[in-house]
Every structure is written in structure tokens, then in C-alpha cells.
């Protein structure tokens, strides 16, 4: 299972990278979204998959899955959500002010410093 | 802290008070406050003569950074005393001269004297330090204060250019020297020059010996304006004339000479040292004297003449090193060169100082230094004329002045090269006397140019701004003193021999010259070959001077493009252009390019590490079984994410991203992470809503979907990133080094924290600090979003 998940994560990273290299801001942000999905799945996979019950003591199981990666991912999800929403509003404001979503147009050059 | 330390620091201390004197006593020329100090210091250093004469040294120690072996140790022996006397003596004369040279109400005297005092203190520090790091510190201080002094008239473009040029070249050399010092420390484990000298035999066999030698020499050559680093000196002539007289003839440019002389006992055993020092010296001697003849500016002539004379001293020091290779001393045969170097060093300081002052007077009284506009000043300025004749004839090496004696000794040293049988000197050594003789001819020619073009001939009053007249008496005092010294040393050279020269020579070649050896400078050698060489110089020089206008064209053979200045300028401009071009190549301003660099670096650094360290590891042990649901979800997620790349519509791609997110939450369900699944569902929903909001607000004209262009480069890079991540994930999963610490959490969740949901207990109890700051992140994001939407600074300005 971990092998399969590693490949899935690889696909997610590939797509994310490709999107981040494109021109439109929106596609870049979609890319970051995919990248964080990939990263979260990677953390989960590296902790080991399906070794025991849900990490709730009420289950009275012999084995539980590792709770630590889950806690880490939960933190990461919330943070990446905060960052993504900030990015999105930033992109929205950039549309409003500059009238473009093309990264090639949003080029910082010496002339307009 | 001893009196010697105080003597070095005194100029720095006085420099602090100069601005106060300047502001408080506007009616008195600030120079008068300065004058006392170098005089006092000169007297102070005179008191050391009896000590060094008996072959004794004075050592005073003061801790600076003892843990690094850096001590402010001062050391007075013959060599440092000679330099200290030059610095303070000529310093006093220059200060006196500058009082009359610089106008009280037109110049920023407070700046001038502060810089000058900084320089004086730094120079004293260079020559009196025993610790190489302290020496280096003062060395850079001299570069720095010289920079300030050259750029004193900072409103002139040429001054700034000259200051920058000298700074770049001397600091380049200074830093090389620092490298050499560090290498010496690695070899000898000490910064003390005396301790290095005592272990020079061990150093000689060390593999770092040659690099250290080359780096130290680079420092000395740049400072002392040796070929090809001499180009800064003529441009440094933009400084006020007292500065040129002091720094660029008598003291700073001799710091390199001092360094070579001081380090001779360490390095002189090596044939490379001998050849480099003597070779560069002789080339500089020739090139300087050859170039001086074509100059039309008096200070330009003197600058090239200084270069040439420094080359002369340098070559003598190089040849002097040969003395170390002969055990038997036949009437001080081989050390003659070192003696000549020291003697000429003193002589040069006297006549060049006075010549610069003379030129300053001419400039001051006529308003120009251009020899094409000058002439016939003899009748207007008889005293200045006399001084110029004494200085120039001494420079040309004519009797009865001191330059004659040192030039004879120089020829002696160069002719002796023929008798040496080491380091190929028996074959190539013939070049030394030949080049030396030719250079002396040119020296004679430009010395005559100074006398005849400036003071003889017809006066061209219509070309001058002022009517020339004799300088005020105060301005004449310093050059008169120096010129008298030229004559006194000329007639009574043995005043210097036992007091100054012998202790200095002892310091340079301590292994063979001790207090028992004595130097005798005789005025008359008899009909020696040297005298015939001098006669030849005079005859050929006189002919060349007479026919100067006929062979002047030789200087036009070399096109401007081949000159070293042109090379320097184009190198500077080229470097700047090159760096701009390089920066423009990779700093494109496109975010995509920067991302490409980052991803490529990621791929290559990790890929190379995996490959070279043989890090890839793959095993199927310890894997969970694959279920049908997971396979389906994996296919869904793969298809959804890949199709995002190919859909044109933004709306579709947002929905596809949402579907990836929901699939991820389904994975969380399957992998037994209920809290994650919940959070992921909610977060994904809100994110998709936000994406749609952004999409909705796209400007109308852009809503037209543009075509997606497939880029192969991007595809390759992305596949590379994905492959690297997969490879690392596989190999790190296949190498489990130790067990997880989670058993502790599972056991302690109820017992210690009183909770049953392990993930939640970890989040708020075991690792609550993470959660606190995650809350902070959300709060900041929320505040940031609010501020971004609410704060419209540009709009606000337009409205109100």
C-alpha cells in the first residue's frame, strides 16, 4: 500500500509543479493546493498505513495506528488553509488593482521599482 | 602601554581634537596645532639612535587579543627607526609647508589635518609593529587615509577617480598580504615577525612557503607602486601637493619597501624571492623612468620618477638577498646592494620631498604645472630654482649631491650581480646592469626636463594666470631644509653610516651583518667602472635631452590601447558590464524562471546525493496490504490531478481540485484518521468556495480563456520533481532506523491526560504549543485578509 501511495504522492507533486510553472496566478494557487495534498498524504504514508484501529481508546483494540502523524497533518492542513486563503485574497486584490492574472505581466523590473 | 605605544597612538588622539581647534580658533591656521606633534615625535625617536647603534632593540608588549596571538607589540630596531624618523621628520616639514600652502579660509583644514594625522599614526604603526596582524591593521589604515587625502578635493572628478583607483589597487594588495600573513601563521604558528625570522629555516621547507611569499610580495608591490601596479600613483597626484610630497614620495609608497626589507630574513633564502624582487624592481625602474620623460605635468614627471626610484630600491633589496648565500665576506662585497638600498631610501625621501614642494610652489605662484606653459622662471624665483636644481641633480645622480653616492652604490650592486653564480644569475644577471644603466639615462633626461623646461628658456607670461614671483618664506623653509640635507648627506655621508644605515642593514640581513661590521661610504672610489658608467649616463643623457624633440615620437609608437591604464579602465568597466549582463541573464523578473532554478536545484542536489551516496533502497517488507478501495481512490486522485493540467476552463480545474481534496479526505477515512477526514472536508469546501469567489471576480476582458500551451521543459522538470519525491518516499520507507515513539502517546493518553481521542490529546495536551501557533497563523491570515480588503491606500488618496 505504501508503494502505491508513494506513487500517488509523486503524481500529485508532478502535477503541482507543472501548475506552479504556468502563467496564471489561479493555476499557481491550484498547484500549491495540490502540493499540500501531496505533502499531507506523504506524511501519513511515512507514518505507516493501516496498522491497527482508529486512534480512539474507546475502540479497545490491541493496535492503534500512529496518532502522531495525524496530529502533524491536522496542524499542516489548518496552516495551509490559512496560507491558501490569504493567497487567494491576494490574487483577488491583484486582479482588482492591476487587472491581470498573468504572471508574465506582473513582472517586477528595475524600471517600475 | 609604553611610550612607544603612545607615540603611535598620539596622532590618532590629536586627530580627535583637530575639529575642536578648528572651530574654536578660526583666526589661527589649524596646521600650527598639528606641527608640534611630529616635531616632538621626531625628537622622541632621535633618542633611540644610541640604542640601535649599539645593536640593541627595544621591545614593548601590550595585549590586544592575546587569545588569538594578536598582541600590539612594538619593536624598534635600525630599520623601523629609520622609517619612524622619515615619517616624523618629513611629516613635520610637510605640515609646516602645508600651513603656507593651504589657504586658511578656502580649504576645509579640519578634514585635511585629521586625515593627515590618521595617516601619520597608521604609518608609524606599520613600521613599529612586530605583530603581523597589527601591521596589517595599520597597513589598511594607511590605504584608507591615503584614499581620503587623494580625494581631498572631492568636488573634482579626477580626484575621485584617483582615490578610487588607489584604493582598489592597494586594498587588493593588502588583502593578498593578509592571505600571506595567515599562511605564515599556519606555518610558524605565530604572528610575530621576530619569531618567524627565528624559524625561517623550517618555513623554507614548508609547502606553503611559496604561496605565502607571493602573497606578501603582492601586498608590497601594490603599495610601493611596482610594475604593473604602478598605475595608481600618477593618478594620486590629484591630491594636494603636501600630500603628494609626504605620502606619495617619502612614506606610504615606501611601506612596500619596508615590508620587503622587514620580511627579507624570512624569505630571502629563496631564489624566487631574489628574482621577483630584483626583477620587478628593475622593470619598474626602467618603465618609470622611460614613462616620466613623456609627461607634461610636473607632478606627473615626479610620480613616474618616484615609481622608478622605488623600483631601484626594490631591485637593490632583491640583489641584496644574494648576500645570504655566501658565507665568506670579502670586504662586504655582496651586502653592498642592501646598504645602497637603505642609503638611497633616505636620499630619495630628501630630494623627492623637496622637489614636490618646489613643484607645489611653482603651481601656487604661477597657477599651472604644465611644462608646456612654463619656462624662464629662474629670474622670478631664484630660491625655488636653486632648490629645484639641487633636487633634480641629486635625482639624476650627479656629484656632489647624495643621489650621486647612492647611484654609484647602485651601479656597484648591479655590477656585482655579474659575479654571482646562483639562481642563473651568472647567465641572465647581465640584464641587471644594462637595464639599470639605460634607466639611469632616462632618469637624467627627465631631471633635465624639470630644470630646463620649467626654469630656463623664455618666460611665457601670457600663458600664465598670475605674474610669477618668489614664494613666501614660510613655504620655502621645508624644501630648504630638505635640500640642505641633500647637500649635507652628499658631502658627509658617514654621518648616516654608523647611526642609521648600519643598524638598518643589520635588521635586513641579520645573519651576516652584525654590530661588528661597518659601512663606509666613500665619496671618491677612484676610477671605478661605476664612475665610468655615470659619465656615460651624463654624456648619453645630455645628447638625448638635446635631441628630445626628434625622438619624442617613440612614445607614440605604443598606442593608447596597450597602456596599462587603458587595461585597468576597461577591466573595471568590463567587470561592471559583465556582472550586469550576468545578473540580467538569470534575474529575469519572471517568477517562473526562479521557480525553475529552485526545482532544478532540488532535483539535482537530491538526485545526485541519492546517486552518489547509493541512498536508494527498496524493499517490500513492512508494507500494508493493498485494498480495492484504495486502488480506486488512487486512480481517481491521479486522474483528477492530471486532468487539471489539461482542462482549459478555470471552473473545471477548480472543481477538479475540489475532487482531489475530497478524495484525500476519503483516503483519511480509509487510513483511519477521522479527525483528519472531518477537517479536510470542511477546509476543502471553504477553499473551493474561495477559489470560486476569485474566479467570479476575474476582470471581464480576461475571462476569455486563453489557450493552454504545453511546455516540454516544464513537464520534464515536474516529472523530475515527482520522481525524486517518490524515490525518496520509497527509500525512506524501506529504511526504518528505529521504532516510533507513538507507543508512549497511546499508553499515556488516558492515564496522564484523561482523554480518549489520541489525536486531540496530542494536539491540545502533549504538543499544545503547535496548536497555539497554528491558531496564531489563522488569526494573522484573517487579519491580513481583512486588512488587504479594507485598506485601500491609493484609492483613499484619490478620493480625499
Amino acid at each position: 500500500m505504501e508503494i502505491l501511495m508513494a506513487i500517488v504522492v509523486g503524481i500529485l507533486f508532478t502535477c503541482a509543479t507543472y501548475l506552479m510553472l504556468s502563467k496564471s496566478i489561479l493555476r499557481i494557487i491550484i498547484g500549491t493546493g495540490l502540493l499540500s495534498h501531496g505533502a499531507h498524504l506523504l506524511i501519513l504514508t511515512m507514518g505507516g498505513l493501516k496498522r491497527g484501529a482508529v486512534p480512539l481508546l474507546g475502540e479497545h483494540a490491541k493496535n492503534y495506528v500512529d496518532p502522531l502523524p495525524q496530529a502533524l497533518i491536522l496542524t499542516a492542513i489548518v496552516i495551509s488553509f490559512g496560507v491558501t486563503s490569504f493567497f487567494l485574497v491576494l490574487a483577488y486584490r491583484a486582479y482588482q488593482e492591476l487587472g491581470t492574472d498573468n504572471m508574465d505581466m506582473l513582472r517586477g523590473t528595475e524600471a517600475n521599482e | 602601554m609604553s611610550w612607544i605605544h603612545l607615540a603611535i597612538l598620539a596622532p590618532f588622539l590629536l586627530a580627535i581634537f583637530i575639529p575642536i581647534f578648528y572651530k574654536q580658533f578660526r583666526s589661527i591656521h589649524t596646521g600650527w596645532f598639528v606641527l608640534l606633534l611630529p616635531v616632538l615625535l621626531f625628537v622622541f625617536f632621535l633618542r633611540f639612535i644610541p640604542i640601535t647603534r649599539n645593536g640593541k632593540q627595544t621591545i614593548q608588549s601590550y595585549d590586544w587579543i592575546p587569545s588569538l596571538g594578536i598582541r600590539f607589540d612594538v619593536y624598534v630596531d635600525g630599520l623601523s627607526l629609520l622609517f619612524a624618523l622619515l615619517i616624523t621628520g618629513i611629516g613635520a616639514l610637510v605640515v609646516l609647508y602645508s600651513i603656507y600652502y593651504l589657504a586658511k579660509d578656502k580649504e576645509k583644514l579640519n578634514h585635511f589635518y585629521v586625515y593627515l594625522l590618521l595617516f601619520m599614526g597608521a604609518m608609524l604603526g606599520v613600521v613599529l609593529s612586530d605583530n603581523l596582524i597589527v601591521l596589517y591593521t595599520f597597513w589598511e589604515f594607511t590605504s584608507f587615509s591615503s584614499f581620503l587625502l587623494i580625494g581631498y578635493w572631492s568636488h573634482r572628478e579626477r580626484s575621485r577617480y584617483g582615490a578610487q583607483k588607489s584604493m582598489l589597487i592597494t586594498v587588493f594588495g593588502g588583502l593578498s598580504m593578509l592571505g600571506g600573513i595567515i599562511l605564515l601563521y599556519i606555518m610558524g604558528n605565530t604572528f610575530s615577525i621576530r619569531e618567524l625570522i627565528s624559524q625561517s629555516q623550517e618555513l623554507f621547507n614548508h609547502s606553503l612557503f611559496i604561496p605565502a611569499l607571493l602573497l606578501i610580495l603582492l601586498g608590497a608591490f601594490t603599495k610601493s607602486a611596482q610594475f604593473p601596479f604602478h598605475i595608481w600613483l600618477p593618478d594620486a597626484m590629484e591630491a594636494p601637493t603636501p600630500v603628494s610630497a609626504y605620502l606619495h614620495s617619502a612614506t606610504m609608497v615606501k611601506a612596500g619597501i619596508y615590508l620587503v626589507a622587514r620580511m627579507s630574513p624570512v624569505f630571502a633564502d629563496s631564489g624566487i624571492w631574489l628574482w621577483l624582487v630584483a626583477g620587478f624592481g628593475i622593470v619598474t625602474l626602467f618603465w618609470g623612468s622611460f614613462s616620466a620623460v613623456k609627461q607634461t605635468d610636473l607632478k606627473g614627471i615626479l610620480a613616474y620618477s618616484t615609481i622608478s626610484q622605488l623600483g631601484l630600491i626594490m631591485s637593490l633589496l632583491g640583489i641584496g638577498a644574494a648576500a645570504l648565500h655566501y658565507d665568506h665576506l670579502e670586504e662586504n662585497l655582496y651586502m653592498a646592494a642592501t646598504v645602497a638600498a637603505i642609503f638611497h631610501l633616505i636620499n630619495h625621501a630628501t630630494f623627492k620631498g623637496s622637489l614636490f614642494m618646489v613643484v607645489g610652489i611653482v603651481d601656487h605662484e604661477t597657477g599651472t604645472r604644465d611644462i608646456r606653459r612654463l619656462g624662464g622662471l629662474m629670474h622670478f624665483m631664484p630660491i625655488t630654482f636653486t632648490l629645484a636644481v639641487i633636487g633634480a641633480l641629486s635625482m639624476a645622480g650627479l656629484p656632489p649631491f647624495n643621489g650621486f653616492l647612492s647611484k654609484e652604490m647602485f651601479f656597484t650592486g648591479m655590477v656585482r650581480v655579474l659575479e654571482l653564480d646562483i639562481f642563473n644569475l651568472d647567465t641572465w644577471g647581465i640584464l641587471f646592469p644594462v637595464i639599470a644603466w639605460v634607466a639611469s639615462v632616462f632618469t637624467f633626461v627627465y631631471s633635465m626636463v624639470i630644470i630646463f623646461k620649467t626654469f630656463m628658456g623664455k618666460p611665457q607670461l601670457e600663458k600664465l594666470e598670475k605674474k610669477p614671483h618668489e614664494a613666501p618664506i614660510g613655504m620655502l623653509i621645508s624644501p630648504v631644509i630638505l635640500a640642505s640635507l641633500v647637500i649635507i648627506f652628499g658631502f658627509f655621508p658617514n654621518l648616516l653610516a654608523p647611526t642609521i644605515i648600519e643598524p638598518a642593514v643589520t635588521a635586513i640581513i641579520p645573519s651576516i651583518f652584525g654590530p661588528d661590521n661597518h659601512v663606509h661610504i666613500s665619496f671618491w672610489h677612484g676610477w671605478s667602472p661605476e664612475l665610468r658608467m655615470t659619465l656615460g649616463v651624463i654624456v648619453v643623457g645630455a645628447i638625448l635631452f638635446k635631441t628630445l624633440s626628434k625622438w619624442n615620437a617613440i612614445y607614440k609608437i605604443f598606442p593608447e590601447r596597450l597602456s596599462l591604464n587603458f587595461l585597468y579602465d576597461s577591466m573595471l568597466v568590463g567587470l561592471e558590464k559583465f556582472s550586469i549582463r550576468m545578473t540580467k541573464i538569470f534575474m529575469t523578473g519572471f517568477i517562473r524562471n526562479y521557480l525553475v532554478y529552485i526545482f532544478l536545484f532540488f532535483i539535482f542536489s537530491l538526485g545526485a546525493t541519492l546517486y552518489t551516496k547509493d541512498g536508494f533502497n527498496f524493499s517490500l517488507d513492512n508494507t500494508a496490504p493493498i485494498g480495492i478501495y484504495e486502488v480506486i481512490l488512487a486512480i481517481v486522485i491521479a486522474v483528477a490531478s492530471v486532468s487539471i493540467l489539461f482542462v482549459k476552463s478555470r471552473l473545471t480545474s477548480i472543481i477538479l481540485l475540489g475532487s482531489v481534496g475530497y478524495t484525500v479526505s476519503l483516503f483519511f477515512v480509509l487510513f483511519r484518521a477521522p479527525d483528519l477526514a472531518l477537517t479536510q472536508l470542511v477546509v476543502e469546501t471553504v477553499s473551493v468556495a474561495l477559489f470560486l469567489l476569485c474566479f467570479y471576480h476575474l476582470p471581464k476582458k480576461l475571462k476569455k480563456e486563453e489557450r493552454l500551451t504545453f511546455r516540454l521543459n516544464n513537464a520534464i522538470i515536474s516529472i523530475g520533481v515527482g520522481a525524486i519525491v517518490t524515490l525518496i518516499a520509497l527509500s525512506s520507507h524501506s529504511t526504518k532506523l528505529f521504532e516510533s515513539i507513538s507507543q508512549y502517546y497511546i499508553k499515556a493518553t488516558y492515564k496522564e491526560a484523561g482523554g480518549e481521542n489520541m489525536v486531540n490529546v496530542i494536539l491540545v495536551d502533549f504538543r499544545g504549543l503547535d496548536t497555539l501557533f497554528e491558531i496564531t497563523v489563522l488569526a494573522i491570515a484573517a487579519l491580513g485578509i481583512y486588512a488587504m480588503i479594507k485598506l485601500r491606500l491609493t484609492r483613499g488618496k484619490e478620493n480625499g
Side-chain angles (χ1 to χ4, degrees):
Chain A
M1 192 62 233
E2 279 87 350
I3 312 289
L4 179 69
M5 288 312 288
I7 293 165
V8 169
V9 167
I11 291 170
L12 281 174
F13 268 78
T14 307
C15 298
T17 311
Y18 189 84
L19 284 169
M20 284 161 81
L21 290 172
S22 58
K23 277 186 204 165
S24 138
I25 293 187
L26 206 59
R27 278 169 79 84
I28 292 176
I29 301 177
I30 291 174
T32 56
L34 279 187
L35 196 73
S36 41
H37 288 320
H40 300 157
L41 282 181
L42 185 63
I43 300 175
L44 196 68
T45 312
M46 291 298 101
L49 295 172
K50 301 211 287 188
R51 297 221 177 111
V54 175
L56 298 169
L57 282 180
E59 298 281 309
H60 300 297
K62 217 189 267 172
N63 285 323
Y64 293 100
V65 295
D66 197 337
L68 200 55
Q70 298 195 8
L72 296 182
I73 294 167
L74 198 60
T75 312
I77 289 175
V78 175
I79 289 173
S80 68
F81 168 67
V83 175
T84 308
S85 41
F86 186 83
F87 265 168
L88 278 168
V89 177
L90 192 67
Y92 157 71
R93 288 285 292 130
Y95 290 153
Q96 280 194 332
E97 292 289 319
L98 305 168
T100 179
D101 77 328
N102 190 335
M103 282 318 288
D104 291 359
M105 310 283 248
L106 295 172
R107 213 177 126 203
T109 53
E110 282 166 42
N112 48 23
E113 257 172 16
Chain B
M1 191 64 87
S2 66
W3 281 106
I4 313 175
H5 287 100
L6 208 63
I8 296 174
L9 296 179
F12 293 103
L13 294 176
L14 183 59
I16 298 173
F17 295 103
I18 289 301
I20 302 171
F21 290 143
Y22 179 70
K23 288 270 184 311
Q24 291 298 316
F25 306 99
R26 290 307 291 255
S27 53
I28 309 169
H29 197 288
T30 318
W32 292 112
F33 297 109
V34 181
L35 183 60
L36 191 63
L37 181 75
V39 173
L40 275 179
L41 290 175
F42 185 71
V43 174
F44 172 75
F45 283 113
L46 277 181
R47 287 173 49 241
F48 283 91
I49 287 184
I51 303 174
T52 54
R53 188 177 184 174
N54 295 329
K56 291 203 181 70
Q57 293 92 27
T58 314
I59 302 158
Q60 295 287 346
S61 210
Y62 185 78
D63 278 355
W64 184 17
I65 316 174
S67 57
L68 297 177
I70 298 172
R71 294 162 195 285
F72 187 8
D73 290 355
V74 290
Y75 178 69
V76 187
D77 64 354
L79 187 65
S80 28
L81 184 64
L82 159 65
F83 274 90
L85 287 174
L86 277 182
I87 293 161
T88 51
I90 297 189
L93 296 176
V94 162
V95 170
L96 179 65
Y97 177 77
S98 70
I99 292 173
Y100 291 93
Y101 188 83
L102 295 172
K104 191 167 59 191
D105 36 3
K106 285 184 202 146
E107 305 281 357
K108 285 180 248 151
L109 291 175
N110 48 348
H111 294 194
F112 182 81
Y113 286 108
V114 167
Y115 303 158
L116 199 73
L117 282 171
L118 283 182
F119 172 78
M120 192 184 288
M123 203 60 212
L124 281 176
V126 166
V127 299
L128 292 169
S129 298
D130 175 57
N131 193 293
L132 280 170
I133 291 290
V134 178
L135 187 148
Y136 171 74
T137 312
F138 284 118
W139 183 278
E140 292 297 26
F141 240 116
T142 63
S143 297
F144 172 67
S145 46
S146 158
F147 168 79
L148 291 172
L149 283 167
I150 297 169
Y152 174 66
W153 286 311
S154 53
H155 56 276
R156 295 187 191 167
E157 206 250 326
R158 292 295 305 170
S159 291
R160 297 198 301 272
Y161 171 79
Q164 187 206 33
K165 193 175 190 177
S166 76
M167 185 76 163
L168 286 175
I169 294 178
T170 53
V171 168
F172 161 73
L175 284 175
S176 315
M177 192 181 102
L178 180 63
I181 290 171
I182 292 168
L183 290 185
L184 279 175
Y185 182 77
I186 293 170
M187 288 189 280
N189 201 28
T190 176
F191 284 125
S192 161
I193 298 173
R194 274 171 301 134
E195 287 171 28
L196 284 171
I197 290 172
S198 67
Q199 43 180 313
S200 61
Q201 280 308 316
E202 294 99 86
L203 297 184
F204 184 61
N205 296 318
H206 200 284
S207 58
L208 292 175
F209 179 79
I210 300 293
L213 185 156
L214 294 177
L215 288 171
I216 294 272
L217 273 188
L218 204 55
F221 285 173
T222 49
K223 196 77 161 183
S224 277
Q226 298 295 296
F227 188 89
F229 307 111
H230 64 274
I231 49 174
W232 66 266
L233 190 60
D235 284 306
M237 291 301 127
E238 296 299 323
T241 303
V243 172
S244 310
Y246 188 37
L247 272 70
H248 306 125
S249 73
T251 51
M252 189 179 88
V253 287
K254 294 203 170 103
I257 305 268
Y258 169 79
L259 190 73
V260 168
R262 179 53 88 201
M263 300 308 280
S264 272
V266 180
F267 292 115
D269 275 334
S270 153
I272 297 175
W273 173 269
L274 191 156
W275 265 107
L276 281 179
V277 176
F280 273 92
I282 202 90
V283 170
T284 312
L285 164 65
F286 170 74
W287 188 249
S289 61
F290 178 70
S291 307
V293 179
K294 73 171 166 182
Q295 304 299 317
T296 53
D297 175 23
L298 279 174
K299 275 176 99 175
I301 300 179
L302 289 182
Y304 277 103
S305 136
T306 302
I307 291 167
S308 136
Q309 307 273 322
L310 290 170
L312 186 156
I313 300 171
M314 201 64 103
S315 65
L316 281 172
L317 283 177
I319 299 295
L324 292 175
H325 297 271
Y326 296 94
D327 295 331
H328 55 287
L329 280 173
E330 296 170 15
E331 47 186 284
N332 303 341
L333 192 70
Y334 301 112
M335 69 179 71
T338 310
V339 175
I342 293 300
F343 189 43
H344 195 71
L345 180 80
I346 303 167
N347 294 345
H348 177 249
T350 54
F351 67 69
K352 194 53 66 70
S354 79
L355 278 176
F356 266 111
M357 291 175 186
V358 163
V359 168
I361 291 170
V362 169
D363 189 11
H364 209 266
E365 303 307 330
T366 63
T368 183
R369 301 193 307 252
D370 193 331
I371 54 171
R372 288 166 300 191
R373 291 164 66 191
L374 292 168
L377 294 179
M378 194 168 89
H379 309 290
F380 300 99
M381 318 166 82
I383 304 176
T384 317
F385 169 65
T386 316
L387 295 172
V389 168
I390 295 171
L393 291 186
S394 177
M395 182 158 73
L398 297 187
F401 305 108
N402 58 4
F404 169 69
L405 300 175
S406 49
K407 181 134 305 180
E408 293 290 282
M409 291 162 75
F410 166 61
F411 282 149
T412 312
M414 291 296 140
V415 171
R416 291 273 161 80
V417 171
L418 299 175
E419 300 166 25
L420 302 178
D421 51 5
I422 43 168
F423 309 132
N424 295 330
L425 277 173
D426 40 350
T427 48
W428 290 99
I430 183 70
L431 285 174
F432 283 100
V434 171
I435 298 178
W437 186 82
V438 175
S440 298
V441 171
F442 282 109
T443 307
F444 183 85
V445 174
Y446 70 69
S447 302
M448 293 306 116
V449 167
I450 293 179
I451 297 176
F452 283 92
K453 298 269 164 107
T454 318
F455 294 99
M456 305 286 198
K458 262 206 326 233
Q460 313 182 57
L461 294 180
E462 69 285 355
K463 289 189 185 172
L464 299 178
E465 290 159 22
K466 315 173 186 172
K467 178 151 172 44
H469 56 83
E470 189 56 87
I473 185 78
M475 221 174 194
L476 287 168
I477 296 173
S478 302
V480 164
I481 292 175
L482 285 171
S484 335
L485 285 177
V486 169
I487 299 175
I488 292 171
F489 293 158
F491 281 108
F492 308 104
N494 290 312
L495 278 179
L496 287 173
T499 49
I500 307 250
I501 296 178
E502 282 173 16
V505 174
T506 314
I508 299 173
I509 35 177
S511 55
I512 51 169
F513 194 94
D516 308 328
N517 301 98
H518 291 290
V519 172
H520 187 76
I521 303 170
S522 53
F523 190 75
W524 178 250
H525 295 274
W527 281 103
S528 57
E530 294 87 356
L531 193 64
R532 271 170 271 162
M533 282 169 84
T534 304
L535 284 177
V537 167
I538 296 173
V539 172
V540 179
I543 296 169
L544 281 182
F545 177 69
K546 276 287 164 201
T547 55
L548 184 60
S549 52
K550 299 207 174 67
W551 57 273
N552 225 342
I554 192 174
Y555 290 109
K556 302 208 171 68
I557 294 175
F558 305 107
E560 191 64 17
R561 294 184 66 82
L562 286 178
S563 75
L564 286 163
N565 271 320
F566 183 83
L567 204 71
Y568 165 84
D569 288 338
S570 47
M571 197 181 76
L572 214 59
V573 174
L575 265 179
E576 209 168 283
K577 274 190 189 153
F578 175 75
S579 69
I580 289 173
R581 206 178 304 147
M582 283 309 288
T583 317
K584 277 207 172 133
I585 286 176
F586 60 85
M587 299 289 284
T588 51
F590 292 112
I591 191 168
R592 194 173 59 240
N593 293 4
Y594 304 143
L595 283 172
V596 166
Y597 308 146
I598 294 170
F599 286 133
L600 282 180
F601 178 77
F602 174 82
I603 293 170
F604 283 111
S605 60
L606 289 180
T609 315
L610 264 185
Y611 182 75
T612 53
K613 300 277 174 194
D614 205 14
F616 185 67
N617 187 2
F618 182 68
S619 77
L620 284 172
D621 318 336
N622 199 22
T623 48
I626 300 179
I628 182 72
Y629 295 119
E630 289 98 331
V631 175
I632 292 171
L633 284 184
I635 290 169
V636 168
I637 209 168
V639 169
S641 53
V642 171
S643 45
I644 294 178
L645 309 183
F646 297 103
V647 292
K648 280 182 191 169
S649 146
R650 290 200 173 105
L651 194 60
T652 323
S653 55
I654 291 167
I655 290 168
L656 282 170
L657 177 67
S659 69
V660 171
Y662 291 128
T663 320
V664 169
S665 70
L666 284 179
F667 263 124
F668 288 153
V669 171
L670 283 180
F671 293 143
R672 284 147 204 171
D675 301 292
L676 288 186
L678 272 175
T679 320
Q680 179 68 34
L681 269 176
V682 176
V683 163
E684 201 55 42
T685 313
V686 179
S687 307
V688 169
L690 270 172
F691 269 106
L692 289 174
L693 182 79
C694 271
F695 175 78
Y696 179 76
H697 280 282
L698 256 184
K700 290 279 183 293
K701 57 176 176 176
L702 284 176
K703 277 209 177 148
K704 178 171 51 112
E705 309 284 348
E706 70 251 51
R707 271 184 59 235
L708 284 174
T709 44
F710 177 74
R711 285 170 180 272
L712 188 65
N713 296 343
N714 291 357
I716 292 170
I717 290 170
S718 354
I719 289 169
V721 170
I724 288 284
V725 170
T726 309
L727 287 179
I728 289 174
L730 288 177
S731 49
S732 61
H733 181 258
S734 305
T735 34
K736 273 267 189 302
L737 297 176
F738 39 78
E739 276 304 302
S740 160
I741 56 164
S742 298
Q743 285 312 311
Y744 165 76
Y745 290 121
I746 293 168
K747 282 199 191 100
T749 301
Y750 190 73
K751 254 189 281 170
E752 291 184 15
E756 295 200 329
N757 184 334
M758 294 173 209
V759 175
N760 287 3
V761 167
I762 289 176
L763 280 176
V764 298
D765 206 318
F766 291 124
R767 301 179 55 90
L769 214 55
D770 291 357
T771 314
L772 176 66
F773 288 108
E774 159 196 342
I775 293 167
T776 319
V777 168
L778 272 191
I780 290 172
L783 282 175
I785 289 167
Y786 180 79
M788 223 168 8
I789 293 174
K790 279 289 171 188
L791 281 181
R792 305 273 164 112
L793 289 180
T794 47
R795 292 266 171 85
K797 257 182 219 157
E798 280 161 20
N799 294 345

